[in-house]
Amino acid sequence: ESVGGQPSDTAQTMLTADPFLVTLTANIVNAAAGHCSLGARISECGSSSAGGTLEASDVYAAALWSLDFMFTVAVNGGQGVNFHGGGKSPYSPLNDNGATVTFVGPEFYGMKMFSLLPPGNAVPATLSVPAGINFTAYGVKCTGGGMCALLNNKEVNTTVSASVNLGSGVSSVALITLQGPNLYCTNDYTIGGSSIYSDGTWTG
């Protein structure tokens, strides 16, 4: 059984940036260039191979992992990702019994959060973060004007106070928060103050 918050913990490993993902995405994007007008997507995606890992893929940490994963693909030229799932597996965004959805998994929360960003171009953020703090950030230059910033705090016990510089001329801001009781919880996640229910409703 993993001990939450330790470096050897599977969830902590999952939340650690892997430079190979950048290389892999670049290779796939370059291979698709000139051959596919829609660009490159990465399919069969999930937080851990062989159907996921209990206490990592099925906990709140997986929602934060999915945001890092999707943004890493986006800022490196990928046009989309296809998450693997269905039935009942630890990493499935939606679990089902063959007829109806029975559980909304943590990866779906990351996907929902990502979907709330306005259309635009993903851009990397320049970060100044104290050593040892597991924190990432990304930007979206919105097609309709304005900027969005996604801040992703993956610390077990440490809150992060952040200042965001979106440039000049900012007249208003809106905040949407994805949160869970802790990195290792298997329920009680919210976006904008509301859970996502198995019937698809969300009131955040």
Side-chain angles (χ1 to χ4, degrees):
E1 183 172 298
S2 64
V3 178
Q6 300 303 311
S8 59
D9 174 348
T10 304
Q12 291 297 307
T13 301
M14 182 176 72
L15 292 176
T16 302
D18 185 353
F20 178 68
L21 177 58
V22 176
T23 302
L24 176 67
T25 302
N27 289 343
I28 292 171
V29 169
N30 290 336
H35 301 286
C36 180
S37 61
L38 297 177
R41 297 181 67 88
I42 300 180
S43 63
E44 295 280 331
C45 300
S47 55
S48 181
S49 63
T53 300
L54 291 172
E55 299 181 15
S57 301
D58 61 340
V59 299
Y60 178 63
L64 306 183
W65 167 83
S66 69
L67 284 166
D68 270 348
F69 175 70
M70 289 184 285
F71 264 105
T72 299
V73 171
V75 299
N76 288 285
Q79 295 301 305
V81 299
N82 296 343
F83 284 94
H84 193 244
K88 184 179 181 182
S89 83
Y91 74 8
S92 181
L94 297 172
N95 278 210
D96 64 77
N97 60 14
T100 58
V101 172
T102 57
F103 180 71
V104 179
E107 285 182 12
F108 193 86
Y109 277 78
M111 296 164 68
K112 176 66 175 178
M113 187 71 175
F114 192 90
S115 77
L116 295 175
L117 295 161
N121 294 320
V123 293
T126 301
L127 289 177
S128 177
V129 181
I133 298 296
N134 194 356
F135 182 88
T136 49
Y138 310 90
V140 176
K141 189 172 183 181
C142 304
T143 304
M147 289 286 294
C148 287
L150 185 126
L151 311 179
N152 195 355
N153 180 19
K154 296 164 287 181
E155 285 294 312
V156 176
N157 296 311
T158 305
T159 58
V160 175
S161 177
S163 297
V164 181
N165 182 356
L166 296 175
S168 60
V170 176
S171 59
S172 63
V173 296
L175 174 67
I176 300 175
T177 303
L178 164 63
Q179 60 187 17
N182 59 68
L183 289 180
Y184 302 94
C185 61
T186 56
N187 51 40
D188 295 330
Y189 328 126
T190 60
I191 299 178
S194 173
S195 296
I196 304 169
Y197 298 100
S198 58
D199 64 0
T201 56
W202 173 72
T203 59

